Amino acid sequence: MKKLFAISIFMFLCFYVTFSQKQQISLSRSIEIACDSSLQAFRAKNLYMSNYWQYRTFQAERLPALTFKVTPIRYNRDFTRRYDSQNDIDVYRQQQSLYSSGNLSISQNFDLTGGTFYIDSELGYFQNLGGTSFSQFSSVPFRVGYYQSLFGYNSFKWEKKIEPLKYEKAKKQYLYAQQEISEWVVTYFFAYAMAQLEYDMAQENVISSDTLYSIGRQRQDIAAISQGDLLTLKLDAVNARNTFRTAESNLQRAKFRFLSFLNIDKETDVLLELPVRPKIIHVSADEALAYAQQNNPDYLANKQELLESEREVDRTKKSSNFDASFSVSVGFNQIANTFGEVYRNPLEQDIVNVGLTIPLVDWGVRKGRANMALNSLNVTKISVQQKEISLEQEVIMSVDEFLIRQDLIGSAEEALKLADMAYRITKERFIIGKADLNSLTLSLNRQNTAQRNYISTLQDYWNSYYKLRKLTLYDFEKGESLSEQFDHVERIH
């Protein structure tokens, strides 16, 4: 008795050490790892960061720009044509000159009008190196100017409408990609769980078939079982071993796919923790549609597509008409032979310039481009309308599917409990000779089917849940938008 007790303790310790070395992982933890470390997450993050820096560049372009332009030295030695007033002819003369200049300016674009306001200061130096030596400084101590296209295309106005929309779309595309990753995790997680179940059932079936075959042999000795039934039990034992080897191979394959997607060590020994029955979530189609219209990046993509088409119409229309530009600057300037004098008593400098560009004959090219852009806008409007109708239908169908999957979980749990109980009772009755082989086989098949159906039902539920989250970008368990969660994390970092 003591020896048997010692063996039992040893087997328990071996079993405990074996399973304590396994890393237990739940579905939610798997999703966290995949959203942080998977290759798909890495791609989504870099795509978002690319759009983030594009938006930062747009914001920077809205701020005043400080520019310093300098020509440290420019040397000219050539023949140039000059007019000889004494002989009333043009002659070529050799010329050598040295020139340097520098300009410091601050400019600011105005989104509303499309004009540019600037303030600058300039200093130049010129020296003649020919037969007559001469040098001179020129300066513009201060100048204020403004340039405006009166009837032209205002790119600043359209950028102000489109760029913030593109960045908001990029954020929601990132969240959308995370929900897609969650869907993939659900698929790989439950594929691994199903493979583990098949492996466990095959292993149990090997033990059970061997046991039943041994019992059958004992019962044949007392003529309590026919030769045909005994051969059937032996065939079941052989088939069970073959099934076990296949299940073992499928388990390794499913494990590899699961760990590869999570981008963790393929040698990690994991033990899946199936999710418990989720709490009941009440979702209506109207509610889901409202969240989708507010959060889904496809709606923002449609809006961006419309704005870009409207921008093209505006650009082509204005390019087909005449254009006028206006510029004005007010400041001071001065020239002197020495640097010390060039900033003394500067004179006022006023420059006003008006320019016109009038297309006369282009054989209808500009008009044709404008009509093409207008027709493209009409096509875009119809396309956007069709996309939104399809998206609304998908949301409604996803809500219905989710509610159905939610109801089926309870039925699957009940069926599994009944199948387990029926098999246990039938097996006990078979051992004591009160149930035949067919009843036992049928009961076992029902139990296996119930176990498979339960895992499949869980997988269908979580797939439908994360699909609904993907379409709406809304956390129905916590009752808040995923965009709000993302913005909160962004503010913290």
Side-chain angles (χ1 to χ4, degrees), residues 60-117:
E61 289 175 347
R62 308 273 74 76
L63 300 175
L66 179 64
T67 306
F68 179 58
K69 298 179 181 179
V70 60
T71 303
I73 184 170
R74 187 179 74 195
Y75 172 74
N76 289 339
R77 181 183 179 185
D78 58 0
F79 287 96
T80 184
R81 190 171 65 177
R82 291 286 185 266
Y83 175 68
D84 187 346
S85 59
Q86 293 181 355
N87 299 317
D88 193 23
I89 59 173
D90 288 336
V91 296
Y92 283 95
R93 295 178 180 175
Q94 184 181 3
Q95 176 180 283
Q96 295 185 62
S97 62
L98 185 68
Y99 177 76
S100 299
S101 68
N103 178 282
L104 182 65
S105 65
I106 300 176
S107 60
Q108 173 67 61
N109 298 325
F110 288 92
D111 297 334
L112 183 62
T113 63
T116 302
F117 172 81

Coordinates of all heavy atoms in Angstrom, one line a residue, residues 60-117:
A60 N 2.9 71.8 -40.1 CA 4.1 72.6 -40.1 C 4.0 73.6 -41.2 O 4.5 74.8 -41.1 CB 5.3 71.8 -40.2
E61 N 3.4 73.2 -42.3 CA 3.3 74.1 -43.5 C 2.3 75.3 -43.2 O 2.3 76.3 -43.9 CB 2.9 73.3 -44.7 CG 4.0 72.4 -45.3 CD 3.5 71.5 -46.4 OE1 2.2 71.5 -46.6 OE2 4.3 70.9 -47.1
R62 N 1.5 75.1 -42.2 CA 0.5 76.2 -41.9 C 1.2 77.2 -41.0 O 0.6 78.3 -40.8 CB -0.7 75.6 -41.2 CG -1.4 74.5 -41.9 CD -2.4 74.9 -43.0 NE -1.9 75.5 -44.2 CZ -1.3 74.8 -45.2 NH1 -1.2 73.5 -45.0 NH2 -0.9 75.4 -46.2
L63 N 2.3 77.0 -40.5 CA 3.0 77.9 -39.6 C 3.9 78.8 -40.4 O 4.3 78.5 -41.5 CB 3.8 77.1 -38.5 CG 3.1 76.2 -37.6 CD1 4.0 75.4 -36.8 CD2 2.0 76.9 -36.8
P64 N 4.3 80.0 -39.8 CA 5.3 80.8 -40.5 C 6.6 80.1 -40.8 O 7.1 79.4 -40.0 CB 5.5 82.0 -39.5 CG 4.3 82.0 -38.7 CD 3.9 80.5 -38.5
A65 N 7.1 80.4 -42.0 CA 8.4 79.8 -42.5 C 9.5 80.8 -42.5 O 9.3 81.9 -43.0 CB 8.2 79.1 -43.8
L66 N 10.6 80.5 -41.8 CA 11.7 81.4 -41.8 C 12.8 80.8 -42.7 O 13.2 79.7 -42.6 CB 12.3 81.5 -40.3 CG 13.6 82.3 -40.2 CD1 13.3 83.8 -40.5 CD2 14.1 82.2 -38.7
T67 N 13.2 81.7 -43.7 CA 14.1 81.2 -44.8 C 15.2 82.2 -44.9 O 15.1 83.4 -44.9 CB 13.3 81.1 -46.1 OG1 12.2 80.3 -46.0 CG2 14.2 80.5 -47.2
F68 N 16.4 81.6 -45.0 CA 17.6 82.4 -45.3 C 18.2 81.9 -46.6 O 18.6 80.8 -46.7 CB 18.6 82.2 -44.1 CG 19.9 83.0 -44.3 CD1 19.9 84.3 -44.5 CD2 21.1 82.3 -44.4 CE1 21.1 85.1 -44.7 CE2 22.3 83.0 -44.5 CZ 22.3 84.4 -44.7
K69 N 18.3 82.9 -47.5 CA 18.9 82.6 -48.9 C 20.2 83.4 -49.0 O 20.2 84.6 -48.7 CB 17.9 83.0 -50.0 CG 16.6 82.2 -50.0 CD 15.7 82.7 -51.1 CE 14.4 81.9 -51.2 NZ 13.5 82.4 -52.2
V70 N 21.2 82.8 -49.4 CA 22.5 83.5 -49.4 C 23.3 83.0 -50.7 O 23.2 81.8 -51.1 CB 23.4 83.2 -48.2 CG1 23.6 81.7 -48.0 CG2 24.6 84.0 -48.2
T71 N 23.9 84.0 -51.3 CA 24.9 83.7 -52.4 C 26.2 84.2 -51.9 O 26.5 85.4 -52.0 CB 24.5 84.4 -53.7 OG1 23.2 84.0 -54.1 CG2 25.5 84.1 -54.8
P72 N 27.1 83.4 -51.3 CA 28.3 83.9 -50.7 C 29.2 84.6 -51.7 O 29.8 85.6 -51.4 CB 29.0 82.6 -50.2 CG 27.9 81.6 -50.1 CD 26.9 81.9 -51.1
I73 N 29.3 84.0 -52.9 CA 30.2 84.7 -53.9 C 29.7 84.2 -55.3 O 29.4 83.1 -55.5 CB 31.7 84.3 -53.6 CG1 32.5 85.1 -54.6 CG2 31.9 82.8 -53.7 CD1 34.0 85.0 -54.3
R74 N 29.7 85.2 -56.2 CA 29.5 84.9 -57.6 C 30.5 85.7 -58.4 O 30.4 87.0 -58.4 CB 28.1 85.2 -58.0 CG 27.7 84.7 -59.4 CD 26.3 85.0 -59.8 NE 26.1 86.5 -60.1 CZ 24.9 87.1 -60.1 NH1 23.8 86.4 -59.9 NH2 24.9 88.4 -60.4
Y75 N 31.3 85.1 -59.2 CA 32.4 85.7 -59.9 C 32.0 85.6 -61.4 O 31.8 84.5 -61.9 CB 33.7 85.1 -59.6 CG 34.8 85.6 -60.5 CD1 35.4 86.9 -60.3 CD2 35.4 84.8 -61.5 CE1 36.4 87.4 -61.2 CE2 36.4 85.3 -62.3 CZ 36.9 86.5 -62.1 OH 37.9 87.0 -62.9
N76 N 32.1 86.7 -62.1 CA 31.8 86.7 -63.6 C 33.1 87.3 -64.3 O 33.6 88.4 -63.9 CB 30.6 87.6 -63.9 CG 29.3 87.0 -63.5 OD1 29.3 85.8 -63.3 ND2 28.3 87.8 -63.3
R77 N 33.5 86.6 -65.3 CA 34.5 87.1 -66.2 C 34.1 86.8 -67.6 O 34.2 85.6 -68.0 CB 35.9 86.6 -65.9 CG 37.0 87.1 -66.8 CD 38.3 86.5 -66.5 NE 39.4 87.0 -67.3 CZ 40.6 86.5 -67.4 NH1 41.0 85.5 -66.6 NH2 41.5 87.0 -68.2
D78 N 33.7 87.8 -68.4 CA 33.2 87.5 -69.7 C 33.1 88.8 -70.6 O 33.5 89.9 -70.1 CB 31.8 86.9 -69.7 CG 30.8 87.8 -68.9 OD1 31.2 88.9 -68.5 OD2 29.6 87.4 -68.8
F79 N 32.7 88.6 -71.8 CA 32.5 89.8 -72.7 C 31.0 90.1 -72.7 O 30.2 89.2 -72.9 CB 33.0 89.5 -74.1 CG 34.5 89.5 -74.2 CD1 35.2 88.3 -74.2 CD2 35.2 90.6 -74.4 CE1 36.6 88.2 -74.3 CE2 36.6 90.6 -74.5 CZ 37.3 89.4 -74.4
T80 N 30.7 91.3 -72.5 CA 29.3 91.7 -72.5 C 29.2 92.9 -73.5 O 30.1 93.7 -73.7 CB 28.9 92.1 -71.1 OG1 27.5 92.4 -71.1 CG2 29.7 93.3 -70.6
R81 N 28.0 93.0 -74.0 CA 27.7 94.1 -75.0 C 27.3 95.3 -74.3 O 26.5 95.3 -73.4 CB 26.6 93.6 -75.9 CG 26.4 94.6 -77.1 CD 25.5 94.0 -78.1 NE 24.1 93.9 -77.6 CZ 23.0 93.5 -78.3 NH1 23.2 93.0 -79.5 NH2 21.9 93.4 -77.7
R82 N 28.0 96.4 -74.7 CA 27.7 97.7 -74.1 C 27.5 98.8 -75.2 O 28.1 98.6 -76.3 CB 28.9 98.2 -73.2 CG 29.1 97.4 -71.9 CD 28.0 97.7 -70.9 NE 28.1 97.0 -69.6 CZ 27.6 95.9 -69.3 NH1 26.8 95.3 -70.2 NH2 27.8 95.4 -68.1
Y83 N 26.8 99.8 -74.9 CA 26.6 100.9 -75.9 C 27.6 102.0 -75.7 O 27.8 102.5 -74.6 CB 25.1 101.4 -75.7 CG 24.8 102.6 -76.6 CD1 24.7 102.4 -78.0 CD2 24.7 103.9 -76.0 CE1 24.5 103.5 -78.8 CE2 24.4 105.0 -76.8 CZ 24.3 104.8 -78.2 OH 24.0 105.9 -79.0
D84 N 28.2 102.3 -76.8 CA 29.2 103.4 -76.9 C 28.5 104.6 -77.3 O 28.2 104.8 -78.5 CB 30.4 103.0 -77.8 CG 31.5 104.1 -77.7 OD1 31.3 105.1 -77.2 OD2 32.6 103.7 -78.2
S85 N 28.2 105.6 -76.4 CA 27.5 106.8 -76.7 C 28.2 107.7 -77.6 O 27.6 108.5 -78.4 CB 27.0 107.5 -75.4 OG 28.1 107.8 -74.6
Q86 N 29.6 107.7 -77.5 CA 30.3 108.7 -78.3 C 30.3 108.3 -79.8 O 30.2 109.2 -80.7 CB 31.8 108.7 -77.8 CG 31.9 109.3 -76.4 CD 33.4 109.3 -76.0 OE1 34.3 108.8 -76.6 NE2 33.6 110.0 -74.8
N87 N 30.4 107.0 -80.1 CA 30.4 106.5 -81.5 C 29.0 106.0 -81.9 O 28.8 105.6 -83.0 CB 31.4 105.4 -81.6 CG 32.8 105.9 -81.3 OD1 33.2 107.0 -81.8 ND2 33.6 105.1 -80.6
D88 N 28.0 106.0 -81.0 CA 26.7 105.5 -81.3 C 26.7 104.1 -81.8 O 26.0 103.8 -82.8 CB 26.0 106.5 -82.2 CG 24.5 106.2 -82.3 OD1 23.9 105.7 -81.3 OD2 23.9 106.6 -83.3
I89 N 27.4 103.2 -81.2 CA 27.4 101.8 -81.6 C 27.5 100.9 -80.3 O 27.8 101.4 -79.2 CB 28.6 101.5 -82.5 CG1 30.0 101.8 -81.7 CG2 28.6 102.2 -83.8 CD1 31.2 101.4 -82.5
D90 N 27.1 99.6 -80.5 CA 27.3 98.6 -79.5 C 28.6 98.0 -79.7 O 29.0 97.6 -80.8 CB 26.2 97.5 -79.6 CG 24.8 98.1 -79.2 OD1 24.8 99.1 -78.4 OD2 23.8 97.5 -79.6
V91 N 29.3 97.8 -78.5 CA 30.6 97.2 -78.6 C 30.7 96.1 -77.5 O 29.9 96.2 -76.5 CB 31.8 98.2 -78.4 CG1 31.8 99.2 -79.5 CG2 31.6 98.9 -77.0
Y92 N 31.5 95.1 -77.7 CA 31.8 94.1 -76.6 C 33.0 94.5 -75.8 O 34.0 94.9 -76.3 CB 32.0 92.8 -77.3 CG 30.8 92.1 -77.8 CD1 30.4 92.2 -79.1 CD2 30.0 91.3 -76.9 CE1 29.2 91.6 -79.5 CE2 28.8 90.7 -77.3 CZ 28.4 90.9 -78.7 OH 27.3 90.3 -79.1
R93 N 32.8 94.4 -74.5 CA 33.9 94.8 -73.6 C 34.1 93.7 -72.6 O 33.1 93.0 -72.2 CB 33.6 96.1 -72.9 CG 33.5 97.3 -73.8 CD 33.1 98.5 -73.0 NE 33.1 99.7 -73.9 CZ 32.7 100.9 -73.5 NH1 32.3 101.1 -72.3 NH2 32.7 101.9 -74.4
Q94 N 35.3 93.5 -72.2 CA 35.6 92.5 -71.1 C 35.1 93.1 -69.8 O 35.3 94.2 -69.5 CB 37.1 92.2 -71.1 CG 37.4 91.1 -70.1 CD 38.9 90.8 -70.0 OE1 39.7 91.4 -70.7 NE2 39.3 89.8 -69.2
Q95 N 34.5 92.2 -69.0 CA 34.0 92.6 -67.7 C 34.3 91.5 -66.6 O 34.2 90.3 -66.9 CB 32.5 92.7 -67.7 CG 31.8 93.1 -66.4 CD 30.3 93.2 -66.5 OE1 29.9 94.3 -67.0 NE2 29.6 92.2 -66.1
Q96 N 34.8 92.0 -65.5 CA 35.0 91.1 -64.3 C 34.3 91.7 -63.1 O 34.4 92.9 -62.9 CB 36.5 91.0 -64.0 CG 37.4 90.4 -65.0 CD 38.8 90.2 -64.6 OE1 39.1 89.6 -63.6 NE2 39.7 90.9 -65.3
S97 N 33.5 90.9 -62.5 CA 32.7 91.4 -61.3 C 32.6 90.3 -60.2 O 32.7 89.1 -60.5 CB 31.3 91.8 -61.8 OG 30.6 90.7 -62.3
L98 N 32.4 90.8 -59.1 CA 32.2 89.9 -57.9 C 30.9 90.3 -57.2 O 30.6 91.5 -57.0 CB 33.3 90.1 -56.9 CG 33.4 89.1 -55.7 CD1 33.6 87.7 -56.1 CD2 34.5 89.6 -54.7
Y99 N 30.1 89.4 -56.8 CA 28.7 89.7 -56.3 C 28.5 88.7 -55.1 O 28.7 87.5 -55.2 CB 27.7 89.5 -57.4 CG 26.3 89.8 -56.9 CD1 25.8 91.1 -56.6 CD2 25.4 88.7 -56.6 CE1 24.5 91.3 -56.1 CE2 24.1 88.9 -56.1 CZ 23.7 90.2 -55.9 OH 22.4 90.4 -55.4
S100 N 27.9 89.3 -54.0 CA 27.4 88.5 -52.9 C 26.1 89.1 -52.4 O 25.9 90.3 -52.5 CB 28.4 88.5 -51.7 OG 29.7 88.0 -52.1
S101 N 25.3 88.2 -51.9 CA 24.0 88.7 -51.4 C 23.4 87.7 -50.3 O 23.8 86.6 -50.2 CB 22.9 88.8 -52.5 OG 22.6 87.5 -53.0
G102 N 22.5 88.2 -49.5 CA 21.8 87.4 -48.5 C 20.4 88.0 -48.3 O 20.2 89.2 -48.3
N103 N 19.4 87.1 -48.0 CA 18.0 87.5 -47.8 C 17.5 86.6 -46.7 O 17.5 85.4 -46.7 CB 17.2 87.3 -49.1 CG 15.8 87.7 -48.9 OD1 15.0 86.9 -48.3 ND2 15.4 88.8 -49.4
L104 N 16.9 87.3 -45.7 CA 16.2 86.6 -44.6 C 14.7 87.0 -44.6 O 14.4 88.2 -44.6 CB 16.8 87.1 -43.2 CG 16.3 86.4 -42.0 CD1 16.6 84.9 -42.0 CD2 16.8 87.1 -40.7
S105 N 13.9 86.0 -44.7 CA 12.5 86.3 -44.9 C 11.6 85.4 -44.0 O 12.0 84.2 -43.7 CB 12.0 86.1 -46.3 OG 12.2 84.7 -46.7
I106 N 10.5 85.9 -43.6 CA 9.4 85.1 -42.9 C 8.2 85.2 -43.8 O 7.7 86.3 -44.1 CB 9.1 85.7 -41.5 CG1 10.4 85.7 -40.6 CG2 8.0 85.0 -40.8 CD1 10.2 86.3 -39.3
S107 N 7.6 84.0 -44.1 CA 6.4 84.0 -44.9 C 5.3 83.2 -44.2 O 5.6 82.3 -43.4 CB 6.7 83.4 -46.3 OG 7.2 82.0 -46.1
Q108 N 4.1 83.6 -44.5 CA 2.9 82.9 -44.0 C 1.8 82.8 -45.0 O 1.4 83.8 -45.6 CB 2.4 83.7 -42.8 CG 1.1 83.2 -42.2 CD 1.2 81.8 -41.5 OE1 1.9 81.7 -40.6 NE2 0.5 80.8 -42.1
N109 N 1.3 81.5 -45.2 CA 0.3 81.3 -46.2 C -1.1 81.6 -45.5 O -1.3 81.2 -44.3 CB 0.3 79.9 -46.7 CG 1.6 79.6 -47.5 OD1 2.1 80.5 -48.1 ND2 2.1 78.4 -47.4
F110 N -2.0 82.1 -46.3 CA -3.4 82.3 -45.8 C -4.3 81.4 -46.5 O -4.5 81.4 -47.7 CB -3.8 83.8 -46.0 CG -3.1 84.8 -45.1 CD1 -1.9 85.4 -45.6 CD2 -3.6 85.1 -43.9 CE1 -1.3 86.3 -44.8 CE2 -3.0 86.0 -43.1 CZ -1.8 86.6 -43.5
D111 N -4.9 80.4 -45.7 CA -5.8 79.4 -46.2 C -7.0 80.0 -46.9 O -7.5 79.5 -47.9 CB -6.2 78.4 -45.2 CG -4.9 77.6 -44.6 OD1 -3.9 77.5 -45.3 OD2 -5.0 77.2 -43.4
L112 N -7.6 81.0 -46.3 CA -8.8 81.5 -46.7 C -8.7 82.1 -48.1 O -9.6 81.9 -49.0 CB -9.3 82.6 -45.8 CG -10.7 83.2 -46.1 CD1 -11.8 82.1 -46.0 CD2 -11.0 84.3 -45.1
T113 N -7.7 82.9 -48.4 CA -7.6 83.5 -49.7 C -6.6 82.9 -50.6 O -6.6 83.1 -51.8 CB -7.1 85.0 -49.5 OG1 -5.8 85.0 -48.9 CG2 -8.1 85.7 -48.6
G114 N -5.7 82.1 -50.1 CA -4.7 81.4 -50.9 C -3.5 82.3 -51.2 O -2.6 82.0 -52.0
G115 N -3.4 83.5 -50.5 CA -2.3 84.4 -50.7 C -1.1 84.1 -49.8 O -1.2 83.2 -48.9
T116 N 0.0 84.8 -49.9 CA 1.1 84.7 -49.1 C 1.6 86.0 -48.6 O 1.8 87.0 -49.4 CB 2.3 84.0 -49.9 OG1 1.8 82.7 -50.4 CG2 3.5 83.8 -49.0
F117 N 1.8 86.2 -47.3 CA 2.3 87.4 -46.7 C 3.7 87.1 -46.3 O 4.1 86.1 -45.8 CB 1.4 87.7 -45.5 CG 1.9 88.8 -44.6 CD1 1.7 90.1 -45.0 CD2 2.6 88.6 -43.5 CE1 2.2 91.2 -44.2 CE2 3.1 89.6 -42.7 CZ 2.9 90.9 -43.0

